[in-house]
Amino acid sequence: MTFAHSVSLSTLALALSLTAGCASLLPPPVAPPVLPTVAPPLPSLDQATLDRLGDRLGYRWEIADNRQTCDKAACFLSVLTLTLPEGSDLPGGWTLYVSYVAGLVRYESEIFDLKQVNGDLYALTPKPGVTLKGGASHTVRIWGQGHFYARGLVMPNAYVAASGLTARTVAATKVVIDPESGLETLPFVAPMTDEAKLGTQSPTDRTQWLTPQRAYERNASRNVALTRPAVVILPTPARVTLQKGAPLDLSKGFDLRLKGLSRDALIPALEALKRAGAGEGRGPVLSVTIDPKLRPEAYRLTVGKSVSIRAGSTTGANHALRSLTQQTAFDGAQVRRMTIEDAPRLPFRGLHIDVARNFHSKAFVLETLEQMAAYKLNRLHLHLGDDEAWRLEIDGLPELTQVGAYRCHDPAEETCLLPQLGAGPERDTPVNGYFSKADYIDILKAAQARGIEVIPSFDMPGHSRAAIKSMEVRYRRLMAAGDAAGAAQYRLVEPEDTTAYRSIQHYNDNTLNVCLPATYAFIDKVIDETMKLHQAAGVPLKRYHIGADETAGAWTQSPACQAFMAQNGLKASQLTPYFIERVSAYLAEKGIETAGWSDGMGHTDAARMPKIVQSNIWSSTLGTAATEAHDQANRGWEVVLSVPDITYFDMPPAPDPDEIAYDWASRDTDIYKIFSFQPENLPANASLLTDIRGQGTTVADKTPYAPGRGLTGLQGQLWSEVVRTDDAAEYRLFPRLLPLAERAWHRAGWEAPYKAGESYTYGDGKVDPKAVLGEWQGFRDRLGVHLRLLDQADIAYRLAPPGAKIEGGQLFANAEIAATPIEYRLAGGEWTPYTGPVAVSGPVELRVTSPDGRRKSRMVRVE
């Protein structure tokens, strides 16, 4: 209202009041004018307004229906609800950035436009002309390819940004750590409760959520007989003979005597033995002798009036000491008399750790190396470079880590890569970072001291976006300095290449151009600098993993590739094999063995590959893994099983919507499933295992092993797309790493011997499930002892929530591992130890604790 309007209305009111009762003497009253409503001016989009939006924007994501169909393909519906801050209306000119790891099919919104930026980063912007009312709620309906069976597939750390302003994380989308369990929670994601709509994608899918009631039945079926084991060593030794006589007292230490090796070669194992209660001192003799008649990793351990170790190598001696350490910890330094004869079934027993998608600290890697040594794993496949980041300092290429090791909001990608996987807009976050040269040397030395070979990996030619973008920053820097030749030396982009593609992770710019000389110059530089770091550590680079998987349909419109293909008579489909063969030959010239993922390696010509090649088989166990593994072993290659439905530790340990995990390969990778795996007879797994839809199938050995060919190794994988902290990594690795180590080291008596050409069908009895269960019970009872060792090492391993049911007014509960005590409480009550069936009324909450009582599982509820 203007000042003039105010005066005229006041004058009129005064006149009317003075003439009350004399209305007949005055003209008819005039109604006050109807004044236009003028809204207060919109606030300008300044930093304070953007900060307020980030702090107060309501953000709610609901996975609404996993049984949708989009263009005759399976899809799912999510509903994003945004509630604007109360108060003034909001101006436009800002963008909400969200990570969405499914392929976008379509969306519906009257208020916002949704567009892909790259990878899983999407931009949600107010439509032109739309008024954003304070306090109003708006929904965006989003259909995505596939399914979201778990709340954890919704990414955190959405953020708001505007040109010229500092981006701000939406406070409502931040990860919250549950104070009781220490686990990540995502409060902005709606609970998933409708199993019919959300638990499966088709009526033929028999997968069921592992509710407390179903967990109770599963646990009861597997926990038939509980025993106290005499020998607790894991992996299970090949042969153990218990002897009569009083235990050997190592509480006062031992007198170490060595023959054929130095004490320095045993330091980590000796330190572990000391932590178990037996350090060096004046106690009984502990003699360690190298015996060349034994296999390199074999050992013979005898505990009598003294301890005697004979081993085929220093590595074998360390294995013996690790076995002695476990038994000493269990026996309280009063070690029972026994003789152990032991050797591994597989020479390659590995663990892959992805630090590229989300970074994990040097301290985490060092502790993981110690646990690998404790359970006799001997290869660390360290995944250091991918689309989302580059994690190793390389001399002469500072942009790789200055830019490529960080994700933050920089649309030009001059200082960092754009956020992916819910990284958020800030540069200084735990998911960012890299290993300095000194860090990597420390890791190499720690691994060598524990008999573990480090196999570095920078994925190529696909999965290379971090390298590509970093080298573009280098290119622009040197061009600005007038150094055109230097700028072009390692440039990984051909500006004239107009090829349009999307990788499996939805990038359109993540593949090295295999026809550019600069690509090979870059690879040469990276390999040479990595070799120097290995030399500085005194650990020569023996094997290098090139990745070679998931190469998108790149290069078809590349002038350089068109000319190269014409000159060499190649098709576009032959370029990836050409690249792998060329890089493998180049590595061989440097004395380095090549490793890669099977989908890329399998397309090469074996005659053009070096003599020693490692191929990681990552097809499904109940799919084509057997055919692929046998074919590539028959080429004379070293075949290492990395089958995702068994060995991918980023898959869920149970079909539960509250487990933060990817689930494209498996929905139920628990410790029993891993224990039940038969690595040396892949088809035989069909006799015991069901597929991702809970259905049995038949696997035939269509490509038998040739005589003399077979499996080389078994490797666990931890991919880190949804693994944002070191504790989260330990939660996924442990205790599942122990049954994997068991199967890599020890051949179970129930495993079906390999028979060329044999077929297996679920439930055919060719593998006896009762025999599996019999050996499982002994393993499970020893596993409880090892949880205490993990407690002592402060490992944040997963505690499976208890199974529970209420029948007849009584609560029945059980645990996956009996060594994890159960607690329960009635609504609003105190936690009480569960010791057996108890009368209850109303809903009951339950959890398990670690054996030391310090950590708690996720809570479950029954009623």
Side-chain angles (χ1 to χ4, degrees), residues 544-609:
Y544 182 90
H545 202 288
I546 65 174
D549 65 314
E550 297 180 336
T551 301
W555 318 313
T556 56
Q557 302 302 314
S558 159
C561 284
Q562 289 173 340
F564 180 82
M565 288 187 289
Q567 181 180 356
N568 293 276
L570 297 175
K571 300 177 182 179
S573 61
Q574 296 173 300
L575 290 177
T576 295
Y578 162 79
F579 172 85
I580 297 170
E581 291 162 5
R582 177 171 172 175
V583 173
S584 298
Y586 157 77
L587 290 170
E589 291 175 1
K590 294 178 176 289
I592 302 170
E593 298 162 359
T594 297
W597 299 104
S598 56
D599 58 331
M601 306 298 279
H603 289 99
T604 63
D605 183 343
R608 294 191 179 122
M609 294 293 284

Side-chain angles (χ1 to χ4, degrees), residues 40 121 137 142 218 303 334 434 497 586 618 624 627 684 790 820:
L121 186 65
S137 292
I142 303 169
R218 173 185 282 189
V303 179
Q334 303 294 317
Y434 64 92
D497 185 358
Y586 157 77
W618 70 285
T624 61
T627 298
L790 294 176
T820 55

Side-chain angles (χ1 to χ4, degrees), residues 120 352-360 383-391 405 407 420-423 431-432 459 463 504-505 507 510 549-550 650 662 718-724:
D120 62 73
H352 162 284
I353 297 177
D354 169 19
V355 297
R357 269 53 180 272
N358 284 309
F359 188 60
H360 296 287
H383 190 68
L384 294 161
D386 212 295
D387 294 323
E388 292 79 11
W390 184 281
R391 302 299 192 187
R407 300 196 292 268
Q420 302 286 336
L421 301 170
V431 302
N432 290 330
D459 217 331
H463 290 273
I504 196 168
Q505 281 84 22
Y507 294 103
N510 79 329
D549 65 314
E550 297 180 336
D650 52 312
Y662 271 22
L718 179 63
W719 300 99
S720 67
E721 286 94 336
V722 290
V723 185
R724 288 174 279 269

Side-chain angles (χ1 to χ4, degrees), residues 42 84 89-94 109-113 125-133 138:
L42 292 175
L84 302 175
D89 296 344
L90 282 172
W94 56 273
S109 174
E110 296 180 354
I111 303 296
F112 295 98
D113 287 321
T125 55
K127 292 182 177 180
V130 166
T131 299
L132 299 172
K133 295 288 187 181
H138 304 287

Side-chain angles (χ1 to χ4, degrees), residues 162-350:
S163 179
L165 303 179
T166 301
R168 290 290 182 250
T169 301
V170 175
T173 69
K174 292 182 178 180
V175 173
V176 173
I177 303 299
D178 176 58
E180 292 289 331
S181 67
L183 299 176
E184 286 188 359
T185 64
L186 303 172
F188 62 92
V189 184
M192 296 175 68
T193 57
D194 188 340
E195 186 174 9
K197 291 175 64 175
L198 302 177
T200 61
Q201 202 161 54
S202 72
T204 59
D205 191 338
R206 298 173 186 171
T207 305
Q208 293 182 313
W209 288 348
L210 192 65
T211 62
Q213 294 85 353
R214 291 169 183 158
Y216 181 87
E217 300 302 328
R218 173 185 282 189
N219 293 340
S221 70
R222 295 176 180 175
N223 294 343
V224 177
L226 298 177
T227 62
R228 177 176 172 83
V231 177
V232 299
I233 297 167
L234 292 179
T236 303
R239 183 178 293 106
V240 178
T241 305
L242 293 176
Q243 310 290 351
K244 295 181 179 180
L248 181 65
D249 184 1
L250 294 180
S251 62
K252 296 179 181 178
F254 53 82
D255 178 8
L256 182 64
R257 299 182 185 181
L258 305 175
K259 184 177 181 180
L261 75 170
S262 69
R263 184 184 180 281
D264 288 346
L266 304 175
I267 287 176
L270 292 172
E271 290 176 347
L273 186 53
K274 182 178 180 180
R275 290 193 296 272
E280 293 178 71
R282 297 184 178 181
V285 169
L286 193 166
S287 65
V288 183
T289 302
I290 300 300
D291 183 350
K293 295 179 183 179
L294 296 175
R295 290 164 49 191
E297 290 193 83
Y299 68 90
R300 181 183 175 92
L301 168 65
T302 301
V303 179
K305 293 182 178 180
S306 62
V307 180
S308 170
I309 292 172
R310 303 188 72 84
S313 67
T314 299
T315 302
N318 277 288
H319 291 330
L321 287 171
R322 295 291 183 169
S323 294
L324 179 63
T325 294
Q326 294 176 11
Q327 194 64 36
T328 300
F330 176 65
D331 285 338
Q334 303 294 317
V335 185
R336 66 196 65 208
R337 298 191 180 200
M338 68 181 71
T339 298
I340 294 176
E341 297 173 90
D342 203 9
R345 75 186 295 184
L346 298 175
F348 187 115
R349 306 176 304 281

